[in-house]
Amino acid sequence: MSALLSSQPAQVIARTYSLALLLSLGPALLPILASARTSKHPLLPRLRRVLARDLAPDGFAFALSVAVGGGAGLRQLWRLLDRYLYTHDEKEGGLASKLKSFISFNRLLSPVHKTFISNLFSASVGILLLQAGRRRSRRRAPTVDIPWTLPVGDTAPRGASPTLDLTLLVFVRALDSIVQGWVSSCGAAASDREAVTEEKKRKSRQRQLTAKIDSVVFWLCSARIMYSFFYYPERLPSSYVKWISSLANIDSRLLAAVRGIKEGTWSYRTGTSSPDVRALLTTGATDIGLPPTWGDPHTLPAFGGSGATKIWRELGVQGRDGVAGLPCEIIHRGVCGSSCTANASLRFAKVFTQAIAIYIPAHFIPALLTRPRSLLTASKPLTLLLSAARSSTFLSTFVASFYLTVCTFHTFIPRLLPFLFSPGRISHDFVDGPYGVVFIGSFICGGASIWIEHPKRRGEMALYVIPRAIRAMLSDKWVKKDGVIFRVIERLIFALSLATLLTSAIYRPNALRGLSKWTLAFITKGTEHGFWKRKRLGQSSSVDPTPINTPFLRPTTPASLSRCASQAPLCAPLPLPESDNSAQKQEL
């Protein structure tokens, strides 16, 4: 029994279950415990529902343990079967003689292929359990989640797949591992031909190019997310929408009016026929101490010019002579009056104070877990504080640049191009519409801020926003159908992606980065090997601990076999030629 519990598959299952349970229970229990004194609902029934959901056989922790640890167990059974088949004669009536076709097929498979097939099967079972559990919990009670965490809860809209966010996350990470593995294999091939100095220069240029690509990817994905936040919020997790709203301090009534312009229910030219829609910004103006007429579409000017100046003088609005549209005071929510620059500066400072509280733990916790002794030095805490301040500056610039861009195109561009915004030409319905200030602000804010962040962190941030951008591009009607074809496609994508990640974690860990590398290194090897051990010792191995001849990522060649053989203590089992049966037995 002790031998079974100490086996490698059992350790993988235990580490996966503990980590998955922490990720699942943590976001669900924190809001419940935080509101224990103020909530009208009893604490124990809520705790009981959460524990019953997450500790069930189809809960997130158990399902993920089957998906991850099951592959390790199947691979271990496959090794035992291989050992039996290759160590027993194919005598009449024996098991080996009955499995001749399987033996022939088995000899064509390398250890990488066997690992991938094992992980593919276990991941397929895991996603079935996970979807069954999510649908069961959805029927009972919604899951409370918080942003900037793994999408382990039921964050999808009603009717949509409850595991879609997690599937997209795994898919993006797997795709990134394939790309990074290809880049790494190209570098390994080149190092045999080039001098060490030239190789270092080439890798430096490669890192710079990767950082630029990550920046552009983040730029485009964040633009799509922000655009969807305004016009398609149902395509984003509800907690993510609430977090953006609170961080940017955007009034929900202003968002409803912006969507009304897109749908034609709120217009500067025609007004609105609905009293509720008309009251969106009139009440918003009253709440910040402004006259309700400042937010009434029936009184606001639709076109610029002298007519707009006359209307502004009647309403008592200053600083918008010749410009139509909504007064900036309502967009600012009364912050700094009509000064757009002061509004952006104050929002920068406010977001910075909120972001620093997020990024200090995000920078210090990994160092505390992997190399706690480094925090005792004088330079390391200062470096982490500067990194946290840099990340906070990035997030603050993201929000401030959006506001500054919106105000610039909302007020100053019509002044610079008065011939376009004169009466009878372009109305402010277009300026404040879906292809006006919102589109331009969504596009500029990511590009204006991501270059502030450290190049090494840009990749992780790009991997964070890509799944949400993909989800935002999927039609909500198509996703909510959740038919048989959609389920099959999602399950296939999840199984292939997770199998790719788990196989890469064993044979090509350098193809992983960021959260994927940190998590899978812990799950597959624990804290005493590989990435975790090097981090704790503050060292990095100069030898690539992965086999070069992985057919999963790169074709096998005699040169790569000999190279990996020279690194035998660090290499995983190597796929050898089919004809060398003695070598196959030795490997088994």
Side-chain angles (χ1 to χ4, degrees):
M1 185 66 177
S2 60
L4 178 62
L5 294 178
S6 61
S7 63
Q8 196 264 350
Q11 293 177 7
V12 170
I13 293 175
R15 289 191 288 264
T16 303
Y17 188 86
S18 59
L19 184 59
L21 194 62
L22 176 65
L23 294 173
S24 180
L25 280 178
L29 291 179
L30 281 177
I32 294 177
L33 297 177
S35 61
R37 295 182 179 180
T38 59
S39 177
K40 299 180 181 179
H41 303 284
L43 177 63
L44 290 179
R46 290 191 293 165
L47 289 176
R48 198 178 296 115
R49 282 197 301 268
V50 171
L51 293 176
R53 182 202 67 190
D54 289 323
L55 298 179
D58 55 1
F60 178 78
F62 187 84
L64 203 62
S65 300
V66 172
V68 177
L74 291 176
R75 183 69 188 99
Q76 186 73 11
L77 293 177
W78 202 332
R79 288 195 188 100
L80 294 176
L81 179 61
D82 285 345
R83 183 176 300 174
Y84 175 84
L85 294 178
Y86 286 107
T87 54
H88 289 73
D89 295 331
E90 299 178 8
K91 52 188 176 182
E92 189 69 25
L95 179 63
S97 62
K98 297 179 180 180
L99 299 177
K100 289 183 179 180
S101 59
F102 172 77
I103 293 175
S104 301
F105 172 73
N106 194 43
R107 288 175 178 174
L108 299 176
L109 300 177
S110 68
V112 184
H113 293 139
K114 296 175 182 178
T115 302
F116 181 79
I117 293 173
S118 301
N119 291 327
L120 182 64
F121 182 79
S122 63
S124 302
V125 177
I127 187 60
L128 292 176
L129 285 175
L130 187 60
Q131 288 183 337
R134 292 298 92 186
R135 288 189 169 88
R136 175 181 56 82
S137 64
R138 171 179 283 185
R139 288 192 297 268
R140 294 183 178 181
T143 298
V144 180
D145 51 52
I146 56 178
W148 299 98
T149 59
L150 288 176
V152 299
D154 185 5
T155 62
R158 296 289 175 175
S161 171
T163 55
L164 180 59
D165 292 336
L166 183 62
T167 300
L168 292 177
L169 183 144
V170 176
F171 168 72
V172 169
R173 297 279 173 170
L175 188 62
D176 180 69
S177 71
I178 295 176
V179 174
Q180 295 298 320
W182 174 78
V183 172
S184 178
S185 64
C186 291
S191 62
D192 294 333
R193 305 188 302 267
E194 300 175 3
V196 176
T197 304
E198 294 297 327
E199 177 64 12
K200 289 183 178 179
K201 292 181 179 180
R202 189 194 62 81
K203 288 186 176 181
S204 177
R205 292 193 298 267
Q206 190 177 74
R207 286 192 296 267
Q208 293 176 4
L209 179 61
T210 302
K212 292 179 181 179
I213 293 175
D214 292 335
S215 302
V216 173
V217 170
F218 175 87
W219 184 357
L220 298 177
C221 291
S222 63
R224 180 62 199 186
I225 290 174
M226 287 300 297
Y227 190 82
S228 298
F229 166 75
F230 280 94
Y231 296 114
Y232 306 102
E234 67 279 359
R235 299 185 182 182
L236 300 173
S238 58
S239 60
Y240 198 57
V241 173
K242 293 177 182 177
W243 184 77
I244 296 176
S245 300
S246 62
L247 191 67
N249 193 21
I250 300 179
D251 193 339
S252 59
R253 292 168 294 189
L254 181 60
L255 294 176
V258 169
R259 293 169 194 143
I261 294 176
K262 177 179 179 294
E263 297 167 358
T265 58
W266 197 102
S267 172
Y268 292 106
R269 292 180 299 144
T270 60
T272 177
S273 59
S274 172
D276 294 334
V277 175
R278 184 176 183 178
L280 286 174
L281 297 186
T282 57
T283 57
T286 304
D287 290 345
I288 58 178
L290 298 176
T293 53
W294 287 25
D296 191 344
H298 293 272
T299 60
L300 296 174
F303 297 93
S306 58
T309 303
K310 182 180 179 181
I311 294 176
W312 292 133
R313 290 176 180 175
E314 293 175 356
L315 297 178
V317 177
Q318 299 179 355
R320 290 194 67 84
D321 291 348
V323 181
L326 195 69
C328 285
E329 287 87 343
I330 296 181
I331 299 177
H332 301 165
R333 293 195 67 184
V335 178
C336 300
S338 60
S339 176
C340 300
T341 305
N343 171 68
S345 302
L346 187 62
R347 291 183 184 276
F348 178 93
K350 183 178 179 180
V351 174
F352 185 88
T353 57
Q354 296 177 356
I356 197 71
I358 297 175
Y359 281 113
I360 285 181
H363 283 77
F364 274 83
I365 290 178
L368 186 63
L369 293 176
T370 57
R371 43 193 195 282
R373 292 184 180 179
S374 64
L375 297 177
L376 300 178
T377 62
S379 60
K380 189 61 178 179
L382 180 60
T383 302
L384 293 177
L385 284 175
L386 292 176
S387 298
R390 186 174 183 175
S391 298
S392 301
T393 304
F394 146 75
L395 192 58
S396 305
T397 305
F398 188 97
V399 175
S401 62
F402 178 83
Y403 270 99
L404 195 59
T405 302
V406 167
C407 288
T408 299
F409 283 85
H410 179 77
T411 301
F412 297 106
I413 294 301
R415 288 178 178 171
L416 295 176
L417 303 174
F419 60 91
L420 288 179
F421 297 91
S422 59
R425 296 204 175 189
I426 298 178
S427 72
H428 229 74
D429 283 342
F430 174 81
V431 177
D432 291 347
Y435 301 106
V437 294
V438 173
F439 177 82
I440 298 173
S442 301
F443 184 76
I444 288 181
C445 61
S449 58
I450 187 58
W451 306 100
I452 299 175
E453 186 57 275
H454 195 282
K456 291 184 178 180
R457 290 183 53 82
R458 294 175 195 170
E460 188 63 29
M461 300 185 69
L463 293 176
Y464 176 82
V465 297
I466 291 175
R468 288 157 177 80
I470 295 176
R471 173 63 185 89
M473 289 187 291
L474 299 177
S475 172
D476 198 55
K477 294 181 180 180
W478 182 71
V479 171
K480 280 189 175 182
K481 289 181 180 179
D482 196 21
V484 176
I485 297 178
F486 182 86
R487 292 184 189 181
V488 171
I489 293 175
E490 183 190 353
R491 291 167 183 171
L492 184 62
I493 291 175
F494 180 90
L496 290 172
S497 301
L498 186 59
T500 301
L501 282 175
L502 294 174
T503 307
S504 298
I506 298 174
Y507 293 96
R508 203 65 163 167
N510 284 351
L512 304 176
R513 56 175 178 167
L515 183 64
S516 304
K517 188 173 186 178
W518 184 85
T519 305
L520 293 177
F522 168 74
I523 289 176
T524 58
K525 301 178 182 179
T527 60
E528 299 298 327
H529 299 85
F531 169 75
W532 278 77
K533 186 175 181 180
R534 293 199 303 271
K535 284 291 185 182
R536 194 166 54 255
L537 295 177
Q539 301 173 350
S540 59
S541 175
S542 60
V543 182
D544 186 359
T546 58
I548 302 301
N549 59 320
T550 52
F552 179 67
L553 295 175
R554 185 180 176 188
T556 302
T557 61
S560 61
L561 283 172
S562 62
R563 178 177 178 180
C564 196
S566 65
Q567 303 171 5
L570 298 175
C571 283
L574 301 176
L576 299 177
E578 301 175 27
S579 58
D580 193 352
N581 294 331
S582 61
Q584 288 272 9
K585 294 180 181 180
Q586 184 179 0
E587 180 256 333
L588 294 169

PDB file of all heavy atoms in Angstrom, residues 10 14 21 29 66 77-78 88 110 118 125 214 224 230 257 259 305 329 384 399 473-475 496 511 543 559 571 577:
ATOM      1  N   ALA A  10       0.439   8.325  -8.269  1.00  0.00           N
ATOM      2  CA  ALA A  10      -0.282   8.723  -7.067  1.00  0.00           C
ATOM      3  C   ALA A  10       0.139  10.117  -6.604  1.00  0.00           C
ATOM      4  O   ALA A  10      -0.690  10.911  -6.145  1.00  0.00           O
ATOM      5  CB  ALA A  10      -0.039   7.704  -5.957  1.00  0.00           C
ATOM      6  N   ALA A  14      -2.260  13.381  -6.275  1.00  0.00           N
ATOM      7  CA  ALA A  14      -2.373  14.113  -5.011  1.00  0.00           C
ATOM      8  C   ALA A  14      -2.062  15.597  -5.207  1.00  0.00           C
ATOM      9  O   ALA A  14      -2.772  16.470  -4.680  1.00  0.00           O
ATOM     10  CB  ALA A  14      -1.431  13.496  -3.978  1.00  0.00           C
ATOM     11  N   LEU A  21      -8.276  21.840  -5.850  1.00  0.00           N
ATOM     12  CA  LEU A  21      -9.213  22.152  -4.771  1.00  0.00           C
ATOM     13  C   LEU A  21      -8.982  23.557  -4.230  1.00  0.00           C
ATOM     14  O   LEU A  21      -9.931  24.286  -3.915  1.00  0.00           O
ATOM     15  CB  LEU A  21      -9.063  21.123  -3.651  1.00  0.00           C
ATOM     16  CG  LEU A  21     -10.180  21.097  -2.600  1.00  0.00           C
ATOM     17  CD1 LEU A  21     -11.509  20.734  -3.246  1.00  0.00           C
ATOM     18  CD2 LEU A  21      -9.830  20.113  -1.494  1.00  0.00           C
ATOM     19  N   LEU A  29     -15.074  30.492  -1.514  1.00  0.00           N
ATOM     20  CA  LEU A  29     -15.218  30.669  -0.071  1.00  0.00           C
ATOM     21  C   LEU A  29     -14.924  32.097   0.378  1.00  0.00           C
ATOM     22  O   LEU A  29     -15.492  32.562   1.375  1.00  0.00           O
ATOM     23  CB  LEU A  29     -14.297  29.695   0.678  1.00  0.00           C
ATOM     24  CG  LEU A  29     -14.670  28.214   0.601  1.00  0.00           C
ATOM     25  CD1 LEU A  29     -13.665  27.377   1.366  1.00  0.00           C
ATOM     26  CD2 LEU A  29     -16.065  27.980   1.166  1.00  0.00           C
ATOM     27  N   VAL A  66      -8.536  13.339 -12.460  1.00  0.00           N
ATOM     28  CA  VAL A  66      -8.692  12.254 -13.439  1.00  0.00           C
ATOM     29  C   VAL A  66      -8.042  12.639 -14.759  1.00  0.00           C
ATOM     30  O   VAL A  66      -7.347  11.832 -15.390  1.00  0.00           O
ATOM     31  CB  VAL A  66     -10.184  11.931 -13.636  1.00  0.00           C
ATOM     32  CG1 VAL A  66     -10.376  10.956 -14.797  1.00  0.00           C
ATOM     33  CG2 VAL A  66     -10.769  11.345 -12.365  1.00  0.00           C
ATOM     34  N   LEU A  77       0.721   1.843 -16.451  1.00  0.00           N
ATOM     35  CA  LEU A  77       0.195   0.526 -16.837  1.00  0.00           C
ATOM     36  C   LEU A  77       0.727   0.114 -18.202  1.00  0.00           C
ATOM     37  O   LEU A  77       1.010  -1.074 -18.448  1.00  0.00           O
ATOM     38  CB  LEU A  77      -1.335   0.578 -16.853  1.00  0.00           C
ATOM     39  CG  LEU A  77      -2.033   0.759 -15.509  1.00  0.00           C
ATOM     40  CD1 LEU A  77      -3.535   0.876 -15.705  1.00  0.00           C
ATOM     41  CD2 LEU A  77      -1.707  -0.409 -14.573  1.00  0.00           C
ATOM     42  N   TRP A  78       0.857   1.062 -19.097  1.00  0.00           N
ATOM     43  CA  TRP A  78       1.391   0.766 -20.441  1.00  0.00           C
ATOM     44  C   TRP A  78       2.837   0.294 -20.335  1.00  0.00           C
ATOM     45  O   TRP A  78       3.256  -0.619 -21.043  1.00  0.00           O
ATOM     46  CB  TRP A  78       1.295   2.025 -21.308  1.00  0.00           C
ATOM     47  CG  TRP A  78       1.314   1.747 -22.781  1.00  0.00           C
ATOM     48  CD1 TRP A  78       1.915   0.693 -23.422  1.00  0.00           C
ATOM     49  CD2 TRP A  78       0.692   2.516 -23.805  1.00  0.00           C
ATOM     50  NE1 TRP A  78       1.728   0.771 -24.768  1.00  0.00           N
ATOM     51  CE2 TRP A  78       0.970   1.882 -25.042  1.00  0.00           C
ATOM     52  CE3 TRP A  78      -0.051   3.692 -23.813  1.00  0.00           C
ATOM     53  CZ2 TRP A  78       0.537   2.392 -26.261  1.00  0.00           C
ATOM     54  CZ3 TRP A  78      -0.492   4.191 -25.015  1.00  0.00           C
ATOM     55  CH2 TRP A  78      -0.202   3.549 -26.229  1.00  0.00           C
ATOM     56  N   HIS A  88       8.625 -11.799 -22.353  1.00  0.00           N
ATOM     57  CA  HIS A  88       8.057 -13.143 -22.447  1.00  0.00           C
ATOM     58  C   HIS A  88       8.038 -13.581 -23.904  1.00  0.00           C
ATOM     59  O   HIS A  88       7.787 -12.795 -24.807  1.00  0.00           O
ATOM     60  CB  HIS A  88       6.638 -13.177 -21.880  1.00  0.00           C
ATOM     61  CG  HIS A  88       6.590 -13.038 -20.390  1.00  0.00           C
ATOM     62  ND1 HIS A  88       6.828 -11.840 -19.749  1.00  0.00           N
ATOM     63  CD2 HIS A  88       6.331 -13.954 -19.403  1.00  0.00           C
ATOM     64  CE1 HIS A  88       6.715 -12.001 -18.435  1.00  0.00           C
ATOM     65  NE2 HIS A  88       6.411 -13.278 -18.211  1.00  0.00           N
ATOM     66  N   SER A 110       6.666   5.917 -30.027  1.00  0.00           N
ATOM     67  CA  SER A 110       7.730   6.352 -29.127  1.00  0.00           C
ATOM     68  C   SER A 110       7.138   6.621 -27.752  1.00  0.00           C
ATOM     69  O   SER A 110       5.914   6.708 -27.601  1.00  0.00           O
ATOM     70  CB  SER A 110       8.390   7.618 -29.678  1.00  0.00           C
ATOM     71  OG  SER A 110       7.477   8.700 -29.607  1.00  0.00           O
ATOM     72  N   SER A 118      -2.051   8.435 -23.704  1.00  0.00           N
ATOM     73  CA  SER A 118      -2.554   8.229 -22.338  1.00  0.00           C
ATOM     74  C   SER A 118      -3.201   9.497 -21.802  1.00  0.00           C
ATOM     75  O   SER A 118      -4.296   9.462 -21.217  1.00  0.00           O
ATOM     76  CB  SER A 118      -1.407   7.783 -21.424  1.00  0.00           C
ATOM     77  OG  SER A 118      -0.805   6.590 -21.887  1.00  0.00           O
ATOM     78  N   VAL A 125     -11.957  11.763 -20.464  1.00  0.00           N
ATOM     79  CA  VAL A 125     -12.819  11.381 -19.339  1.00  0.00           C
ATOM     80  C   VAL A 125     -12.987  12.544 -18.369  1.00  0.00           C
ATOM     81  O   VAL A 125     -14.078  12.790 -17.838  1.00  0.00           O
ATOM     82  CB  VAL A 125     -12.224  10.159 -18.617  1.00  0.00           C
ATOM     83  CG1 VAL A 125     -13.063   9.783 -17.396  1.00  0.00           C
ATOM     84  CG2 VAL A 125     -12.128   8.971 -19.571  1.00  0.00           C
ATOM     85  N   ASP A 214       4.321  39.419 -28.413  1.00  0.00           N
ATOM     86  CA  ASP A 214       3.409  39.364 -27.265  1.00  0.00           C
ATOM     87  C   ASP A 214       2.712  40.697 -27.046  1.00  0.00           C
ATOM     88  O   ASP A 214       1.521  40.741 -26.713  1.00  0.00           O
ATOM     89  CB  ASP A 214       4.178  38.963 -26.004  1.00  0.00           C
ATOM     90  CG  ASP A 214       4.669  37.524 -26.050  1.00  0.00           C
ATOM     91  OD1 ASP A 214       4.053  36.721 -26.777  1.00  0.00           O
ATOM     92  OD2 ASP A 214       5.661  37.214 -25.379  1.00  0.00           O
ATOM     93  N   ARG A 224     -10.188  44.145 -28.450  1.00  0.00           N
ATOM     94  CA  ARG A 224     -11.421  43.391 -28.648  1.00  0.00           C
ATOM     95  C   ARG A 224     -12.195  43.234 -27.345  1.00  0.00           C
ATOM     96  O   ARG A 224     -13.435  43.325 -27.316  1.00  0.00           O
ATOM     97  CB  ARG A 224     -11.091  42.006 -29.222  1.00  0.00           C
ATOM     98  CG  ARG A 224     -12.306  41.137 -29.460  1.00  0.00           C
ATOM     99  CD  ARG A 224     -13.242  41.758 -30.471  1.00  0.00           C
ATOM    100  NE  ARG A 224     -14.582  41.188 -30.387  1.00  0.00           N
ATOM    101  CZ  ARG A 224     -15.562  41.480 -31.231  1.00  0.00           C
ATOM    102  NH1 ARG A 224     -15.353  42.318 -32.210  1.00  0.00           N
ATOM    103  NH2 ARG A 224     -16.748  40.943 -31.094  1.00  0.00           N
ATOM    104  N   PHE A 230     -18.152  47.169 -23.851  1.00  0.00           N
ATOM    105  CA  PHE A 230     -19.152  48.203 -24.102  1.00  0.00           C
ATOM    106  C   PHE A 230     -20.377  47.659 -24.829  1.00  0.00           C
ATOM    107  O   PHE A 230     -21.504  48.032 -24.496  1.00  0.00           O
ATOM    108  CB  PHE A 230     -18.533  49.344 -24.911  1.00  0.00           C
ATOM    109  CG  PHE A 230     -17.724  50.300 -24.092  1.00  0.00           C
ATOM    110  CD1 PHE A 230     -16.363  50.131 -23.958  1.00  0.00           C
ATOM    111  CD2 PHE A 230     -18.328  51.360 -23.440  1.00  0.00           C
ATOM    112  CE1 PHE A 230     -15.611  51.008 -23.194  1.00  0.00           C
ATOM    113  CE2 PHE A 230     -17.590  52.245 -22.674  1.00  0.00           C
ATOM    114  CZ  PHE A 230     -16.220  52.068 -22.549  1.00  0.00           C
ATOM    115  N   ALA A 257     -26.500  53.917 -22.307  1.00  0.00           N
ATOM    116  CA  ALA A 257     -26.730  54.939 -23.330  1.00  0.00           C
ATOM    117  C   ALA A 257     -25.852  54.724 -24.542  1.00  0.00           C
ATOM    118  O   ALA A 257     -26.285  54.896 -25.692  1.00  0.00           O
ATOM    119  CB  ALA A 257     -26.480  56.325 -22.731  1.00  0.00           C
ATOM    120  N   ARG A 259     -24.738  51.854 -25.617  1.00  0.00           N
ATOM    121  CA  ARG A 259     -25.326  50.738 -26.363  1.00  0.00           C
ATOM    122  C   ARG A 259     -26.623  51.172 -27.050  1.00  0.00           C
ATOM    123  O   ARG A 259     -26.968  50.663 -28.122  1.00  0.00           O
ATOM    124  CB  ARG A 259     -25.596  49.571 -25.411  1.00  0.00           C
ATOM    125  CG  ARG A 259     -24.328  48.942 -24.858  1.00  0.00           C
ATOM    126  CD  ARG A 259     -24.613  47.975 -23.738  1.00  0.00           C
ATOM    127  NE  ARG A 259     -23.384  47.640 -23.014  1.00  0.00           N
ATOM    128  CZ  ARG A 259     -23.316  47.444 -21.711  1.00  0.00           C
ATOM    129  NH1 ARG A 259     -24.408  47.536 -20.962  1.00  0.00           N
ATOM    130  NH2 ARG A 259     -22.154  47.155 -21.131  1.00  0.00           N
ATOM    131  N   GLY A 305     -21.088  73.541 -34.762  1.00  0.00           N
ATOM    132  CA  GLY A 305     -21.317  74.824 -35.409  1.00  0.00           C
ATOM    133  C   GLY A 305     -21.947  75.834 -34.477  1.00  0.00           C
ATOM    134  O   GLY A 305     -22.016  75.670 -33.245  1.00  0.00           O
ATOM    135  N   GLU A 329     -18.449  66.556 -18.515  1.00  0.00           N
ATOM    136  CA  GLU A 329     -18.671  66.412 -17.078  1.00  0.00           C
ATOM    137  C   GLU A 329     -19.421  65.117 -16.757  1.00  0.00           C
ATOM    138  O   GLU A 329     -19.159  64.484 -15.731  1.00  0.00           O
ATOM    139  CB  GLU A 329     -19.472  67.610 -16.552  1.00  0.00           C
ATOM    140  CG  GLU A 329     -18.683  68.900 -16.471  1.00  0.00           C
ATOM    141  CD  GLU A 329     -18.694  69.680 -17.762  1.00  0.00           C
ATOM    142  OE1 GLU A 329     -19.028  69.090 -18.813  1.00  0.00           O
ATOM    143  OE2 GLU A 329     -18.366  70.876 -17.730  1.00  0.00           O
ATOM    144  N   LEU A 384      11.444  43.733  -6.522  1.00  0.00           N
ATOM    145  CA  LEU A 384      10.052  43.308  -6.632  1.00  0.00           C
ATOM    146  C   LEU A 384       9.103  44.488  -6.485  1.00  0.00           C
ATOM    147  O   LEU A 384       8.071  44.560  -7.171  1.00  0.00           O
ATOM    148  CB  LEU A 384       9.753  42.247  -5.571  1.00  0.00           C
ATOM    149  CG  LEU A 384      10.465  40.903  -5.746  1.00  0.00           C
ATOM    150  CD1 LEU A 384      10.139  39.968  -4.595  1.00  0.00           C
ATOM    151  CD2 LEU A 384      10.076  40.254  -7.066  1.00  0.00           C
ATOM    152  N   VAL A 399      -6.132  52.549 -18.179  1.00  0.00           N
ATOM    153  CA  VAL A 399      -7.404  53.210 -17.886  1.00  0.00           C
ATOM    154  C   VAL A 399      -7.353  54.686 -18.259  1.00  0.00           C
ATOM    155  O   VAL A 399      -8.265  55.225 -18.906  1.00  0.00           O
ATOM    156  CB  VAL A 399      -7.759  53.036 -16.396  1.00  0.00           C
ATOM    157  CG1 VAL A 399      -9.020  53.821 -16.053  1.00  0.00           C
ATOM    158  CG2 VAL A 399      -7.941  51.570 -16.064  1.00  0.00           C
ATOM    159  N   MET A 473     -15.171  37.026 -29.535  1.00  0.00           N
ATOM    160  CA  MET A 473     -15.419  36.963 -30.976  1.00  0.00           C
ATOM    161  C   MET A 473     -16.438  35.903 -31.353  1.00  0.00           C
ATOM    162  O   MET A 473     -16.913  35.878 -32.488  1.00  0.00           O
ATOM    163  CB  MET A 473     -14.099  36.714 -31.719  1.00  0.00           C
ATOM    164  CG  MET A 473     -13.161  37.908 -31.708  1.00  0.00           C
ATOM    165  SD  MET A 473     -11.704  37.681 -32.747  1.00  0.00           S
ATOM    166  CE  MET A 473     -10.829  36.418 -31.829  1.00  0.00           C
ATOM    167  N   LEU A 474     -16.774  35.017 -30.424  1.00  0.00           N
ATOM    168  CA  LEU A 474     -17.761  33.982 -30.695  1.00  0.00           C
ATOM    169  C   LEU A 474     -19.161  34.548 -30.488  1.00  0.00           C
ATOM    170  O   LEU A 474     -19.436  35.206 -29.482  1.00  0.00           O
ATOM    171  CB  LEU A 474     -17.548  32.777 -29.773  1.00  0.00           C
ATOM    172  CG  LEU A 474     -16.203  32.059 -29.896  1.00  0.00           C
ATOM    173  CD1 LEU A 474     -16.122  30.926 -28.870  1.00  0.00           C
ATOM    174  CD2 LEU A 474     -16.005  31.507 -31.293  1.00  0.00           C
ATOM    175  N   SER A 475     -20.033  34.278 -31.429  1.00  0.00           N
ATOM    176  CA  SER A 475     -21.411  34.750 -31.325  1.00  0.00           C
ATOM    177  C   SER A 475     -22.086  34.121 -30.117  1.00  0.00           C
ATOM    178  O   SER A 475     -22.021  32.904 -29.904  1.00  0.00           O
ATOM    179  CB  SER A 475     -22.176  34.393 -32.600  1.00  0.00           C
ATOM    180  OG  SER A 475     -23.540  34.674 -32.450  1.00  0.00           O
ATOM    181  N   LEU A 496      -7.328  17.394 -26.550  1.00  0.00           N
ATOM    182  CA  LEU A 496      -6.086  17.534 -27.314  1.00  0.00           C
ATOM    183  C   LEU A 496      -5.163  18.585 -26.680  1.00  0.00           C
ATOM    184  O   LEU A 496      -3.942  18.391 -26.617  1.00  0.00           O
ATOM    185  CB  LEU A 496      -6.404  17.917 -28.752  1.00  0.00           C
ATOM    186  CG  LEU A 496      -7.058  16.837 -29.619  1.00  0.00           C
ATOM    187  CD1 LEU A 496      -7.484  17.422 -30.963  1.00  0.00           C
ATOM    188  CD2 LEU A 496      -6.101  15.670 -29.842  1.00  0.00           C
ATOM    189  N   ALA A 511       9.300  24.509 -23.478  1.00  0.00           N
ATOM    190  CA  ALA A 511       8.285  25.046 -24.383  1.00  0.00           C
ATOM    191  C   ALA A 511       7.149  25.708 -23.622  1.00  0.00           C
ATOM    192  O   ALA A 511       6.314  26.370 -24.228  1.00  0.00           O
ATOM    193  CB  ALA A 511       7.725  23.930 -25.271  1.00  0.00           C
ATOM    194  N   VAL A 543      22.173  23.052 -19.188  1.00  0.00           N
ATOM    195  CA  VAL A 543      21.879  21.956 -20.101  1.00  0.00           C
ATOM    196  C   VAL A 543      20.378  21.847 -20.256  1.00  0.00           C
ATOM    197  O   VAL A 543      19.632  21.905 -19.279  1.00  0.00           O
ATOM    198  CB  VAL A 543      22.457  20.624 -19.563  1.00  0.00           C
ATOM    199  CG1 VAL A 543      22.198  19.498 -20.539  1.00  0.00           C
ATOM    200  CG2 VAL A 543      23.936  20.776 -19.282  1.00  0.00           C
ATOM    201  N   ALA A 559      21.759  12.528 -35.199  1.00  0.00           N
ATOM    202  CA  ALA A 559      22.534  13.536 -34.461  1.00  0.00           C
ATOM    203  C   ALA A 559      21.835  13.915 -33.167  1.00  0.00           C
ATOM    204  O   ALA A 559      22.469  14.066 -32.116  1.00  0.00           O
ATOM    205  CB  ALA A 559      22.741  14.769 -35.338  1.00  0.00           C
ATOM    206  N   CYS A 571      17.670  13.275 -19.369  1.00  0.00           N
ATOM    207  CA  CYS A 571      16.704  13.047 -20.448  1.00  0.00           C
ATOM    208  C   CYS A 571      15.613  12.098 -20.012  1.00  0.00           C
ATOM    209  O   CYS A 571      15.818  11.208 -19.195  1.00  0.00           O
ATOM    210  CB  CYS A 571      17.396  12.477 -21.679  1.00  0.00           C
ATOM    211  SG  CYS A 571      18.303  13.731 -22.591  1.00  0.00           S
ATOM    212  N   PRO A 577      15.388   3.173 -32.505  1.00  0.00           N
ATOM    213  CA  PRO A 577      14.957   2.522 -33.740  1.00  0.00           C
ATOM    214  C   PRO A 577      14.228   1.219 -33.468  1.00  0.00           C
ATOM    215  O   PRO A 577      14.515   0.512 -32.498  1.00  0.00           O
ATOM    216  CB  PRO A 577      16.279   2.296 -34.486  1.00  0.00           C
ATOM    217  CG  PRO A 577      17.198   3.327 -33.934  1.00  0.00           C
ATOM    218  CD  PRO A 577      16.810   3.503 -32.505  1.00  0.00           C
TER     219      PRO A 577
END
